[in-house]
Amino acid sequence: MSALAGSALRPRLRPASIVVVEDERIVALDLSQRLQEMGYRVMRTVARGEDALHAVDALRPDLVLMDINIEGALDGIEAACRIRETSRTPVVFMTAYAEDETLARAQSSRPYGYLIKPYESRELHATIQVALARHDADAAVERSEERLRLAMDVAGLVVWDWDPRTDRGTLAQPGAVPGDLSTLLAGFAAADRASIRTTLLRGQPVTGVWPVAGPVDGPDAGGRWMELHAKPLAGTRLGELRGSVESGTATRVVGVLRDVTGRRHAEERLRQAGVVYERIADAIVMADSRRRIVSVNPAFVALTGWTEAEVLGRDTDALLHEPPHPDGFWEALGKEPDGLWRGEVGLRRRDGRVLVALQTASRVPEAEDDEVRYVLTCSDLTSMRRAQEELSYLAHHDVLTGLPNRALLDERLDHELQRARRLGHGVALMFIDLDGFKTINDSLGHAAGDRLLQEVGRRLRASIRDADTAARLGGDEFVVVMTDLAQPEDASRLADKLLSLLAEPVDVGGRKVKGSASIGVAVFPQDGGDRGSLMMAADSAMYAAKASGRNHVSFYTRALARRARRRLDVEQGLRRSLERGELALHFQPIVALSDNSLVAAEALLRWEREDGVSVAPQQFVPVAEDSGLIETIGVFVLERICEHARAWTEAGLMPPRLCMNVSPRQLERGDFAGRLHRMLDASGLSPDRLEIEVTETALRSGAASLRQLDTIRALGVRIAIDDFGTGYSSLSALKHLPLDRLKIDRSFVQDLPHDTGAVAIVETIVAMSRTLGLCVTAEGIETDAQLAALRRIGCEDGQGFLLGRPLDAVTFAERLRASAGGPTRPVRPLRG
């Protein structure tokens, strides 16, 4: 066969390039000439194995013709093995030796041909063409296998091959070793492996997902899942394999394995989300980019009365919202960083009624072919609003008489004073204190006392104009605000009328009880320019009326101003007390009502003057608030608490929690939160061991106070509302405030358990606290009956003289030492 004819066996775009390895120069030259005559390109002729390696590496020929016995350290077979390892260039051996040993060694390099010298040109040409064709076929197979491997990797598939006759097989993945079925399905449960084996031996395919042993890192931690597809085949050769086999005839099982842990967990999360969507109590609406409804959940159907079929495709605003969201609302929602809005909306039911609902509107990030763009969740606020209104009523009104309480009185009086300034009118404020009420209450019982208070409230309400206000401050104290006062005589006539009405007998349980009252009157603007001064003037006048023999009306006079002077004396003495070190902290225990164990202690400020006279907190704390000294005193209290805490901690006596009162003024001014942070760091007191108590007034004193409270809560310090129930706290506000505890005001506790109104208030506060996840402490526990009532209601902690009186620091430390469970040390004295 000619070279031209032979080349047709393997068409090429260019002549095949060959490197010749032959140590006999004449043979090499002859071979090169013959190759060139056949149309091949001889790139280089070398005589040594080492040179052959360099030539192949540098020239990248299509073929190497290799003599076995050549010069150098490497013979032809060793050189061929190296070439296969490094470049996979096909090698054809040329040798005069055909011994079995030589052939065996040559086979280890997997040559593409073996020529026995001497050979003819056409034999050489045929061998070269076959070698090149075989190499091209091998390369094509390798490329195909590589593509298959990459595709399997991308798909996460592992080929699975098993011979049921020998129970041997392999997994086509790196590092896998042949093994039996148990090895191939390592991690599968024994029962699952047995079931899979049985099914395959019956000639039936297997497909499914199984749990396998082995931890999984990341969000899907908790177990792995493998998907297995396997099919029994019959026949022994590749071309003879049949896909349809009978039981026991399978000779080979081929399939794939894939780790579907992520998919499985995603499906489980989707299932859980579906359960939530179907079972959640909140109504959910899903809408497309044009706000047309695409899906609603059962809670929506129950809340609105619309069926899903009736609302699909409808505009959310036009159908549901009353009024609709303002123009630009939905576009602005997309521009919010979190794509979220929350607020109250009017939700229109199918029957036309409009519900007040708390709605959360969120924009879903856009995704290809994703129909849902907006998700709306709605919670019916009807029950919460009703509870809020009830609590608001309780917070603003006296439960027993139905009259406004101090909080509502303050609001109305402030409003009337502002109006009077604007219009130039007068306002009369009357303080009313029932004479001898305690005697009636003690002799006839609390029920009789309550009946008397209710009748007093009714008479006051019936005796005044709609524009006027009658309020109960607590106990037997009432207040009347008379508006649009033209002259003081008008106030005098109303006061005399009230005095006469209150002196009329009251039917209490079949008995006629005759009482009286002392009334103090102050007039705006001459007796006081604001609520505080007017209240103080009326209070002074009321005490003057009592001093005049009771059942009397007394107007504020300049003679009563002496009381104001005494107030000034308290302020000046308080300023000196800070310099003289007359202030000290006492600590009142707070105990768990379940077992009387100590859970905390409240730090209470005490003032003992140089002359040994003790000034009650009721006398100097209000003065400190009004004068601004409360800020300096607050710093002193905080420093002392930190110092005591450090000393007690060193002695092994630290109580679980220390509580301190913080006034609204401290939160409104200065950097109280920053100062608190620095003092905690300096003292080493853990923030969660400190609880600050603020009044409801502090929560309404402005954004600056709320920011301070947020910062304080972020430090880890606990926050409690002190005297809860005496101010205004809406449910919607409470659930968003950084609170940990509510302290029930002593005014409710002192009327337990006989006052049904007080019981109702305390039960409401405890139930509400549980709903909001807050702890509860009752203040002012002084009797066993009060304690028993609070335990029955479910109040957690308590504080009061019955449970422990305030103690100085030394005495309190000894109490801590007496209840300590471990070794203690002496308490280090504090500086100053």
Side-chain angles (χ1 to χ4, degrees):
M1 180 182 295
S2 67
L4 183 59
S7 64
L9 295 176
R10 181 177 181 273
R12 302 183 65 87
L13 296 178
R14 59 175 177 79
S17 58
I18 299 175
V19 169
V20 176
V21 185
E22 173 62 63
D23 58 352
E24 294 186 18
R25 184 173 180 80
I26 295 176
V27 174
L29 289 174
D30 176 64
L31 179 58
S32 296
Q33 184 177 355
R34 292 165 65 185
L35 291 171
Q36 290 171 357
E37 290 174 353
M38 294 177 192
Y40 299 109
R41 183 164 60 96
V42 179
M43 303 183 74
R44 185 173 297 175
T45 301
V46 298
R48 295 163 46 88
E50 294 84 351
D51 296 337
L53 297 180
H54 293 310
V56 170
D57 183 58
L59 303 176
R60 298 294 176 180
D62 295 323
L63 183 75
V64 176
L65 291 176
M66 177 81 71
D67 189 7
I68 292 179
N69 294 315
I70 55 178
E71 300 175 0
L74 300 177
D75 66 3
I77 295 175
E78 292 170 328
C81 290
R82 299 277 188 90
I83 290 172
R84 175 172 177 78
E85 293 171 359
T86 57
S87 68
R88 308 186 71 82
T89 300
V91 175
V92 173
F93 286 121
M94 306 174 299
T95 180
Y97 301 96
E99 297 86 356
D100 290 342
E101 180 182 354
T102 302
L103 288 174
R105 287 188 61 226
Q107 288 175 2
S108 64
S109 68
R110 300 182 64 180
Y112 279 75
Y114 197 96
L115 288 170
I116 303 297
K117 297 179 180 179
Y119 45 78
E120 296 181 1
S121 294
R122 63 180 182 177
E123 185 180 359
L124 173 62
H125 179 63
T127 301
I128 291 173
Q129 288 297 306
V130 170
L132 291 173
R134 176 185 161 195
H135 178 262
D136 286 347
D138 288 349
V141 170
E142 288 181 0
R143 287 192 298 271
S144 177
E145 290 178 346
E146 178 66 11
R147 285 193 295 270
L148 178 60
R149 185 189 64 77
L150 292 174
M152 300 288 283
D153 287 345
V154 170
L157 299 175
V158 177
V159 175
W160 188 74
D161 194 333
W162 176 60
D163 186 340
R165 300 169 301 176
T166 60
D167 192 17
R168 302 295 291 176
T170 59
L171 291 175
Q173 63 179 5
V177 296
D180 57 14
L181 185 64
S182 297
T183 302
L184 299 179
L185 300 182
F188 282 67
D192 292 337
R193 290 198 303 267
S195 175
I196 292 170
R197 177 191 292 271
T198 301
T199 301
L200 293 175
L201 290 178
R202 288 176 183 158
Q204 299 171 352
V206 170
T207 183
V209 177
W210 283 268
V212 299
V216 177
D217 296 331
D220 294 328
R224 295 173 58 231
W225 293 83
M226 296 296 292
E227 182 178 19
L228 169 65
H229 299 275
K231 186 175 183 180
L233 303 171
T236 57
R237 295 182 181 179
L238 187 61
E240 298 175 351
L241 291 176
R242 300 190 307 278
S244 177
V245 297
E246 299 178 357
S247 178
T249 65
T251 58
R252 185 181 183 186
V253 175
V254 177
V256 290
L257 280 169
R258 178 165 58 180
D259 190 326
V260 293
T261 303
R263 188 188 77 189
R264 183 80 176 194
H265 285 288
E267 290 172 350
E268 176 60 20
R269 286 192 293 269
L270 188 61
R271 186 194 67 79
Q272 293 171 356
V275 171
V276 172
Y277 184 72
E278 293 293 323
R279 301 291 181 87
I280 193 170
D282 291 345
I284 300 178
V285 179
M286 296 185 179
D288 62 16
S289 59
R290 291 193 288 174
R291 278 85 67 191
R292 295 175 307 185
I293 298 174
V294 298
S295 177
V296 296
N297 70 338
F300 172 88
V301 175
L303 178 63
T304 66
W306 295 99
T307 65
E308 184 173 27
E310 291 173 322
V311 300
L312 292 181
R314 304 280 293 274
D315 182 271
T316 55
D317 270 339
L319 178 70
L320 301 175
H321 296 141
E322 179 63 41
H325 284 299
D327 293 340
F329 170 82
W330 300 99
E331 292 73 12
L333 182 63
K335 297 176 183 177
E336 291 293 326
D338 53 1
L340 191 70
W341 175 87
R342 181 179 289 108
E344 292 186 5
V345 298
L347 194 66
R348 188 186 300 108
R349 286 177 44 88
R350 191 176 188 277
D351 57 14
R353 289 192 297 122
V354 177
L355 304 174
V356 178
L358 178 64
Q359 184 178 90
T360 298
S362 58
R363 181 177 175 85
V364 179
E366 294 187 8
E368 186 176 355
D369 298 329
D370 191 353
E371 188 179 18
V372 177
R373 286 291 179 267
Y374 298 97
V375 176
L376 310 179
T377 62
C378 300
S379 303
D380 185 5
L381 293 183
T382 304
S383 299
M384 181 178 288
R385 276 295 178 84
R386 187 180 301 115
Q388 183 176 352
E389 290 170 0
E390 292 175 358
L391 187 59
S392 176
Y393 182 85
L394 293 175
H396 285 82
H397 292 80
D398 173 55
V399 177
L400 182 62
T401 64
L403 295 178
N405 61 11
R406 179 181 289 275
L408 186 53
L409 171 66
D410 288 349
E411 291 181 9
R412 290 188 179 180
L413 182 54
D414 285 340
H415 173 76
E416 291 302 332
L417 292 179
Q418 291 176 5
R419 181 171 172 273
R421 291 189 193 98
R422 187 174 66 254
L423 300 177
H425 295 164
V427 176
L429 183 67
M430 303 178 188
F431 260 49
I432 304 172
D433 187 87
L434 302 183
D435 300 328
F437 175 75
K438 186 175 187 303
T439 302
I440 297 173
N441 208 37
D442 291 344
S443 59
L444 300 181
H446 290 287
D450 289 349
R451 177 71 186 88
L452 175 60
L453 293 173
Q454 289 171 337
E455 180 60 21
V456 169
R458 188 194 65 78
R459 293 181 183 182
L460 291 178
R461 190 165 41 235
S463 302
I464 62 175
R465 302 168 299 174
D466 290 341
D468 299 334
T469 296
R472 182 190 177 201
L473 297 185
D476 60 350
E477 293 183 340
F478 294 83
V479 169
V480 169
V481 178
M482 184 180 183
T483 64
D484 298 328
L485 185 68
Q487 52 190 359
E489 289 76 8
D490 294 338
S492 179
R493 281 190 289 271
L494 178 60
D496 289 339
K497 176 184 177 181
L498 296 178
L499 203 64
S500 299
L501 285 173
L502 297 178
E504 293 179 2
V506 177
D507 186 353
V508 177
R511 297 185 57 176
K512 293 291 183 178
V513 175
K514 190 175 188 306
S516 64
S518 297
I519 303 178
V521 183
V523 178
F524 170 86
Q526 52 263 45
D527 297 334
D530 56 27
R531 171 166 49 89
S533 59
L534 201 62
M535 295 274 279
M536 186 179 299
D539 186 53
S540 298
M542 186 270 293
Y543 279 106
K546 280 191 174 294
S548 299
R550 305 190 178 189
N551 194 28
H552 185 77
V553 176
S554 177
F555 277 74
Y556 179 77
T557 65
R558 293 189 180 276
L560 297 176
R562 287 192 292 270
R563 291 187 60 185
R565 177 62 188 177
R566 287 196 294 272
R567 182 182 180 90
L568 181 60
D569 292 340
V570 170
E571 179 182 339
Q572 293 173 342
L574 194 56
R575 293 183 186 278
R576 291 191 296 269
S577 72
L578 290 168
E579 302 170 359
R580 297 171 179 172
E582 296 173 354
L583 298 179
L585 294 185
H586 285 204
F587 296 87
Q588 185 172 24
I590 300 175
V591 304
L593 297 187
S594 58
D595 58 5
N596 286 341
S597 61
L598 180 70
V599 295
E602 181 178 358
L604 303 172
L605 188 62
R606 294 294 182 261
W607 177 15
E608 185 171 341
R609 299 190 325 211
E610 282 186 329
D611 57 8
V613 175
S614 296
V615 184
Q618 301 93 302
Q619 291 180 267
F620 69 82
V621 171
V623 176
E625 288 273 4
D626 293 339
S627 64
L629 284 171
I630 194 67
E631 295 180 51
T632 305
I633 293 174
V635 173
F636 165 81
V637 171
L638 182 56
E639 288 176 343
R640 278 300 191 188
I641 285 178
C642 290
E643 290 172 358
H644 282 301
R646 182 164 52 192
W648 290 338
T649 300
E650 293 171 354
L653 301 174
M654 181 62 186
R657 191 173 72 252
L658 288 176
C659 311
M660 67 172 287
N661 291 283
V662 176
S663 75
R665 185 183 292 266
Q666 290 174 270
L667 296 175
E668 292 169 3
R669 302 183 181 180
D671 182 23
F672 178 78
R675 186 187 296 271
L676 175 62
H677 190 190
R678 291 189 293 274
M679 288 187 179
L680 289 174
D681 282 346
S683 66
L685 175 61
S686 176
D688 63 358
R689 306 292 286 275
L690 178 66
E691 181 173 276
I692 68 167
E693 300 178 4
V694 298
T695 62
E696 292 173 87
T697 304
L699 301 178
R700 296 186 288 120
S701 57
S705 298
L706 293 179
R707 283 195 297 270
Q708 292 252 39
L709 289 175
D710 285 333
T711 303
I712 291 168
R713 190 65 186 81
L715 295 176
V717 176
R718 301 171 185 266
I719 299 176
I721 296 184
D722 198 15
D723 303 330
F724 182 74
T726 59
Y728 170 75
S729 294
S730 70
L731 285 177
S732 59
L734 277 180
K735 67 181 181 180
H736 295 300
L737 292 171
L739 301 177
D740 299 279
R741 179 178 302 274
L742 301 181
K743 298 191 74 173
I744 303 174
D745 185 67
R746 64 177 62 248
S747 63
F748 302 125
V749 174
Q750 69 182 10
D751 293 333
L752 297 178
H754 308 291
D755 188 329
T756 56
V759 172
I761 291 174
V762 173
E763 288 177 342
T764 299
I765 293 174
V766 170
M768 179 192 66
S769 300
R770 288 175 180 160
T771 301
L772 297 176
L774 304 177
C775 302
V776 186
T777 299
E779 300 179 291
I781 303 174
E782 298 182 359
T783 67
D784 290 329
Q786 293 168 353
L787 178 61
L790 289 166
R791 284 174 172 164
R792 185 170 58 255
I793 291 172
C795 185
E796 297 168 282
D797 302 336
Q799 177 181 359
F801 284 176
L802 181 66
L803 303 174
R805 292 179 175 271
L807 304 172
D808 61 67
V810 174
T811 307
F812 184 70
E814 291 306 315
R815 170 168 177 165
L816 292 174
R817 192 182 307 279
S819 59
T824 62
R825 294 174 293 281
V827 177
R828 170 179 52 80
L830 302 187
R831 58 176 179 80

